[in-house]
Amino acid sequence: MREKNLDRGSYWTGFSTVCRIVLSEVIREMDFSKLADCGPCLRDNKKKLSSDWCIECAEPLCLACKKVHNLLKMTSEHHLVENQKSSSDSISYDDISDLRNCHIHQHSLIDRFCNNHSTMCCQCCIEETHFDCKSVESIETVAKNIKASSKVENTTLHLNSLIQLLTEIRNDKRSNIENFQHSEMEVKKKIEAAKINMIIRIKEMADSLTSELQNVKKTKILELEKQVKETEQQINKLEEKKKIIDLFNQKGSETHTFLLLQRLKSELAKEESMIRENIEECNNMYLSFDDGDDIMSLPKVLGNIDIISEPSAVKYKPSPTIKQRQDKTESALSVSHISSFKFSSEFDIDFDKGFVSGICINDDDVILLCLRGTDKLLMYNLEGKPNGEIVVSGNPFDVFCVPETDKAIVALPDSSTLQMVDVDMKDAENIIDMPESCWSVTAVDNKLFIAGGFKSLYVMDIGGEKLEEITKPECGRTYSLTFAADKFFYCSDVDFKNEKVYCITEEGNFVFCYSNANLRTPTELAVDLTGNVYITDLDSNNVHRCSPSGDFLDVPIKGSDVTEPRSICFNRDSTHLALSNNSGKSICVYKSDV
């Protein structure tokens, strides 16, 4: 009986999938851009000019049908926009249809969002790729309140930044054309002066050279005009996307706005990369003439037409968010030596269960906390004011903010995975599978370094592809890892005793092992800009400081100030230190005294 029920369920699942495919194909084949008559009226053998378009029903409505549409309970919350025939700024069916269509399974509609992989899915995607994913929600659920979030504004700012760059490139190309034409006249004068000196003997050469000049000019100006045209096309393309965002934000549904932003996310990153490459290759050109050292000794040629290329005045300017982060980095305090720490603030973590097991501070001075025992990353500023949370796909233990980006990487040891998160958007993104449990992660120069196993440290690129495996000199689970001065520092529970901090080279060669009579249970490491290593000791209630070479320096934070310190982290410029206190139940923030 159970097998029959399973077969019957599979039958109806397949049947519903076929129905969705057929319906999607029928809708796809209809040209709604030419449908000016009201859809319901046409089905009633009447013909009335439509005034509005229902996004959910995907059909035009006249004024009378629009009124009925708004009154019916089933359709009262549908989103209506002015018919694209009667309004130049309306949202077209093609815009909506492309958002809903799965790019992998062309006949399926997107109706789910996989939080584990931060990707949109159709039913076929779920069945083929995401059947094991634990966090899959409807598009409507994840799109809720999208318009009130910062995503629309951030995406619009990104678009404006790219449009501005392209506009500057276009204007520079136009100016280059004028300068190129002006340089032609200057070259002609030089040619004429050389021709006079050579008189009749070089007349034919001068004519030939002038002809060459015209050909070079024509070719290069055509090339520049083509570049201007291509740049204008890029600008128009982005202007259209900006226009669609504004229209969706004003007239579209939350779902379609979310879908649009997800589509644009990767597109804008590609556009920005292309623009950056364009600027790096962008050179201003003008014509030049070289008459040689001894023109009278050159019976065959009068001179050469050269293209002189100089760097363009247009410089790449990052998007506002990245620019703000870079400005902060450039203006950071230069820390030569931290003599002591001054208590700044302390705030409790509001939670029912769990504790703060990992901590990091990004370039915007946002504190990220791993709330072990939950599926959350908590966000605070340095004053302890809550700044939201990010739901990840598992039980987090450690987190590290990737420098000069809005990304952070989270270690999920229970599932042997890492997960990338977007801190600005408060989104969990792609998951990276690991060969074994990963308890700590750090990043340097677009490389990820992962610890957790008994024998190895793993090196991966920022996209999650394994690059190499570093064999450790000792065998013990590594649960805290940091990198400084081309060396790794980590805690390891060799023989179930975690009393030491190890230092190895990038090749895995042993450098030193730090231990101290008062160091009982080292739990987390942090490094300041000078390379000094800070070690939290859970049992002695102290924070040790040692030099990059492993020499004990002092105990800058003592048990009289903290109780069971667990996690520790500096901000980007080492002006502030954050410490999880009371075994991860509160956070203390200190200012560095230089």
Side-chain angles (χ1 to χ4, degrees):
M1 179 62 71
R2 185 179 179 185
E3 292 181 358
K4 291 182 179 180
N5 289 336
L6 288 174
D7 291 341
R8 184 177 300 173
S10 300
Y11 167 78
W12 283 111
T13 300
F15 179 75
S16 61
T17 302
V18 171
C19 288
R20 284 195 301 270
I21 292 174
V22 172
L23 180 60
S24 173
E25 188 63 23
V26 170
I27 293 175
R28 184 191 299 276
E29 293 299 323
M30 297 178 68
D31 188 358
F32 285 93
S33 64
K34 299 178 181 179
L35 251 174
D37 294 326
C38 174
C41 290
L42 286 176
R43 292 192 290 274
D44 196 27
N45 296 322
K46 298 176 183 179
K47 190 173 183 180
K48 288 187 179 180
L49 188 65
S50 64
S51 62
D52 290 84
W53 178 278
C54 176
I55 293 179
E56 281 75 12
C57 297
E59 69 173 354
L61 303 171
C62 65
L63 290 174
C65 291
K66 172 185 176 182
K67 183 176 181 180
V68 175
H69 205 77
N70 288 332
L71 291 174
L72 291 175
K73 184 177 181 180
M74 183 180 296
T75 58
S76 60
E77 295 185 0
H78 284 194
H79 296 81
L80 303 181
V81 295
E82 292 183 9
N83 187 289
Q84 57 184 0
K85 279 281 187 177
S86 60
S87 176
S88 61
D89 64 347
S90 63
I91 302 172
S92 71
Y93 171 77
D94 289 337
D95 296 330
I96 300 168
S97 175
D98 184 61
L99 289 174
R100 270 294 192 185
N101 292 331
C102 178
H103 287 184
I104 299 175
H105 308 96
Q106 297 181 358
H107 300 295
S108 295
L109 299 179
I110 291 172
D111 57 2
R112 293 286 184 272
F113 187 82
C114 176
N115 290 306
N116 292 3
H117 296 93
S118 187
T119 186
M120 298 178 291
C121 311
C122 68
Q123 186 61 36
C124 295
C125 293
I126 297 294
E127 295 171 358
E128 293 178 3
T129 310
H130 302 275
F131 54 87
D132 279 338
C133 296
K134 297 179 180 179
S135 181
V136 178
E137 300 177 90
S138 69
I139 290 294
E140 287 70 21
T141 299
V142 294
K144 187 177 181 181
N145 298 324
I146 185 69
K147 291 185 179 181
S149 71
S150 61
K151 294 184 179 181
V152 174
E153 180 183 1
N154 289 341
T155 305
T156 302
L157 287 174
H158 199 173
L159 277 168
N160 286 335
S161 175
L162 299 184
I163 291 170
Q164 181 182 354
L165 285 173
L166 287 171
T167 302
E168 291 182 17
I169 293 174
R170 180 198 61 192
N171 293 341
D172 187 70
K173 295 295 183 184
R174 286 175 173 173
S175 176
N176 193 187
I177 292 175
E178 295 178 2
N179 294 334
F180 207 91
Q181 291 173 334
H182 176 73
S183 66
E184 177 201 9
M185 299 305 299
E186 295 298 320
V187 170
K188 281 186 176 181
K189 291 178 182 179
K190 292 182 179 181
I191 292 174
E192 290 300 321
K195 184 176 66 174
I196 291 173
N197 293 333
M198 299 293 290
I199 312 178
I200 299 174
R201 177 185 171 194
I202 59 172
K203 184 178 183 302
E204 292 182 357
M205 290 187 291
D207 292 339
S208 175
L209 197 58
T210 302
S211 176
E212 180 186 353
L213 171 66
Q214 294 292 337
N215 291 334
V216 171
K217 168 199 165 184
K218 180 179 178 180
T219 302
K220 286 300 177 182
I221 287 182
L222 287 174
E223 180 181 336
L224 289 169
E225 289 174 341
K226 180 181 178 183
Q227 293 175 0
V228 169
K229 184 176 180 180
E230 291 174 348
T231 305
E232 287 178 334
Q233 290 174 348
Q234 285 181 274
I235 294 174
N236 292 336
K237 179 180 176 183
L238 294 180
E239 289 284 4
E240 285 297 322
K241 294 183 184 298
K242 178 183 175 184
K243 185 177 178 183
I244 291 174
I245 286 181
D246 292 336
L247 293 176
F248 271 60
N249 195 31
Q250 296 171 10
K251 302 176 181 180
S253 68
E254 300 279 354
T255 298
H256 297 118
T257 303
F258 174 81
L259 291 168
L260 177 63
L261 295 180
Q262 287 295 321
R263 292 285 191 212
L264 286 178
K265 190 174 181 180
S266 60
E267 293 179 16
L268 295 185
K270 292 179 181 178
E271 287 287 341
E272 185 169 13
S273 177
M274 292 174 60
I275 292 172
R276 188 168 187 172
E277 292 177 1
N278 191 346
I279 292 176
E280 292 174 352
E281 298 174 357
C282 188
N283 294 312
N284 286 333
M285 297 179 289
Y286 60 89
L287 289 164
S288 176
F289 176 74
D290 181 9
D291 60 1
D293 296 332
D294 185 3
I295 196 166
M296 300 305 296
S297 65
L298 303 174
K300 294 183 180 180
V301 294
L302 183 62
N304 300 300
I305 300 296
D306 296 325
I307 300 295
I308 305 300
S309 182
E310 296 178 349
S312 169
V314 179
K315 303 299 180 184
Y316 171 74
K317 294 182 283 293
S319 59
T321 302
I322 298 177
K323 180 65 165 61
Q324 182 181 10
R325 188 174 293 119
Q326 290 177 345
D327 290 344
K328 181 178 178 60
T329 301
E330 292 172 359
S331 61
L333 177 66
S334 177
V335 178
S336 57
H337 175 70
I338 300 175
S339 59
S340 61
F341 294 93
K342 182 179 180 181
F343 177 79
S344 176
S345 62
E346 182 176 9
F347 53 92
D348 294 330
I349 304 303
D350 184 19
F351 59 89
D352 296 328
K353 60 180 181 178
F355 60 90
V356 174
S357 59
I359 184 171
C360 72
I361 306 175
N362 73 356
D363 293 346
D364 297 326
D365 281 343
V366 175
I367 303 176
L368 272 70
L369 306 174
C370 284
L371 193 54
R372 183 69 174 164
T374 72
D375 59 355
K376 291 181 175 61
L377 293 181
L378 304 183
M379 301 168 63
Y380 293 83
N381 63 15
L382 291 176
E383 288 73 39
K385 182 179 179 180
N387 193 25
E389 63 181 39
I390 303 174
V391 177
V392 294
S393 62
N395 190 355
F397 186 82
D398 190 30
V399 60
F400 186 85
C401 297
V402 182
E404 297 186 10
T405 73
D406 55 1
K407 308 294 184 182
I409 188 77
V410 184
L412 307 170
D414 297 343
S415 58
S416 298
T417 58
L418 303 172
Q419 185 164 27
M420 193 72 72
V421 297
D422 188 316
V423 179
D424 288 350
M425 295 294 193
K426 298 181 175 64
D427 275 345
E429 297 184 336
N430 57 300
I431 291 177
I432 302 171
D433 292 322
M434 296 297 299
E436 56 185 328
S437 296
C438 44
W439 294 88
S440 186
V441 60
T442 188
V444 181
D445 296 333
N446 290 323
K447 289 183 180 180
L448 301 178
F449 299 94
I450 304 98
F454 282 84
K455 296 182 179 180
S456 302
L457 304 179
Y458 297 96
V459 184
M460 311 180 82
D461 64 22
I462 205 71
E465 182 177 349
K466 182 178 176 181
L467 300 178
E468 61 177 309
E469 186 173 334
I470 302 173
T471 302
K472 300 185 300 175
E474 96 301 332
C475 183
R477 187 186 65 177
T478 304
Y479 51 89
S480 179
L481 174 70
T482 190
F483 185 86
D486 298 326
K487 295 187 290 289
F488 291 106
F489 300 87
Y490 60 89
C491 302
S492 181
D493 58 357
V494 180
D495 297 328
F496 302 102
K497 296 179 180 180
N498 48 351
E499 301 172 348
K500 298 177 181 179
V501 174
Y502 291 85
C503 176
I504 62 174
T505 66
E506 291 185 77
E507 294 75 27
N509 298 322
F510 178 82
V511 179
F512 66 81
C513 176
Y514 172 80
S515 61
N516 187 285
N518 294 321
L519 185 67
R520 303 172 187 171
T521 311
T523 54
E524 186 68 88
L525 308 174
V527 179
D528 63 22
L529 288 184
T530 64
N532 290 329
V533 182
Y534 297 73
I535 309 161
T536 57
D537 189 347
L538 189 67
D539 287 347
S540 70
N541 301 321
N542 293 324
V543 175
H544 286 237
R545 174 163 53 181
C546 69
S547 69
S549 59
D551 298 322
F552 172 78
L553 297 178
D554 60 356
V555 179
I557 300 176
K558 299 180 174 60
S560 57
D561 302 319
V562 294
T563 302
E564 295 184 344
R566 181 177 290 274
S567 300
I568 188 170
C569 179
F570 280 98
N571 66 343
R572 181 69 184 275
D573 50 19
S574 292
T575 58
H576 288 79
L577 175 72
L579 180 74
S580 65
N581 193 21
N582 296 319
S583 195
K585 296 178 182 179
S586 66
I587 302 299
C588 293
V589 178
Y590 296 87
K591 290 184 179 180
S592 304
D593 280 345
V594 180

